[in-house]
Amino acid sequence: MDLTSALVLAGLGAFHGLNPAMGWLFAVALGLQERSRAAVLRALPPIVLGHAGSVLITLALVSAARLAAPPKLVSYGVAALVCGFGVWRLVRRRHPRWVGMKVSRLQLAGWSFLMATAHGAGLMVLPITLRAGHGTAALVSQSLLTTAIHTLSMLAATTALALVVYERLGVAVLRKAWFNLDSVWAVALIGAGVSAALT
């Protein structure tokens, strides 16, 4: 993987980390509920693991397709999937709801997995991974490296923002100084899909 690809993956991870729907808001809410900074920090590993699981499963599915189908077909399929998902995210703005505020770590990881999947976290990194070599070993190592870079960057951004909001700003900042990142993400997905088609 080249430096540009690694930086793009890190940027996408940081962008996910800044999105309240990806988990930092949940971590802050748990911290406020328990009146504990430690509760904020305890919530982060399951959130990040759920997110990483979503990305890795997406990459594994596409890697399997790459082993079974011609590369051009997979590239165009990925482009159509990513663009289509971006359009769907622009049209459908609701988030999945299925947990309350009393959750186990497993439930929190499951929630994070669903949210990351619903936002297309794994789809966004696909155009970058299409440049990887063919063969099982190359695809496995590329998928693991991609997931690690994206997830570590997401963890850094999520942790920093969760702690700043918990300790300094409070959740009222969302009403005063926040804008909808979902629309930006949807447009970015469409752009990534177009990029995949042109690559």
Side-chain angles (χ1 to χ4, degrees):
M1 176 181 303
D2 62 13
L3 180 60
T4 302
S5 296
L7 291 173
V8 168
L9 288 170
L12 292 171
F15 184 81
H16 260 153
L18 295 176
N19 188 341
M22 291 296 107
W24 68 259
L25 182 58
F26 208 138
V28 169
L30 291 172
L32 291 172
Q33 180 180 332
E34 295 182 28
R35 295 187 174 134
S36 165
R37 179 181 199 260
V40 174
L41 295 173
R42 272 195 315 272
L44 296 174
I47 288 170
V48 169
L49 288 175
H51 189 92
S54 174
V55 171
L56 193 56
I57 286 172
T58 302
L59 293 174
L61 291 171
V62 172
S63 293
R66 289 182 68 192
L67 291 171
K72 279 283 188 203
L73 180 63
V74 174
S75 292
Y76 289 136
V78 164
L81 182 65
V82 174
C83 280
F85 193 80
V87 170
W88 181 75
R89 289 295 308 151
L90 277 175
V91 173
R92 187 177 180 343
R93 297 184 183 258
R94 290 184 33 209
H95 289 112
R97 293 185 177 106
W98 67 281
V99 295
M101 290 306 294
K102 294 285 188 181
V103 293
S104 70
R105 287 191 174 121
L106 184 61
Q107 289 172 319
L108 191 54
W111 170 85
S112 177
F113 176 87
L114 287 178
M115 290 303 289
T117 303
H119 281 84
L123 295 177
M124 180 55 91
V125 302
L126 287 178
I128 296 163
T129 62
L130 289 176
R131 299 179 196 144
H134 297 284
T136 304
L139 292 173
V140 168
S141 65
Q142 179 76 8
S143 294
L144 292 173
L145 182 59
T146 296
T147 302
I149 292 169
H150 179 83
T151 302
L152 290 172
S153 180
M154 184 246 186
L155 173 62
T158 298
T159 302
L161 195 52
L163 290 175
V164 167
V165 170
Y166 176 76
E167 294 177 351
R168 300 272 183 244
L169 302 176
V171 292
V173 72
L174 291 174
R175 278 183 268 138
K176 297 175 188 170
W178 206 262
F179 61 94
N180 186 351
L181 293 174
D182 287 346
S183 297
V184 175
W185 188 250
V187 170
L189 280 165
I190 294 167
V194 170
S195 169
L198 298 175
T199 302

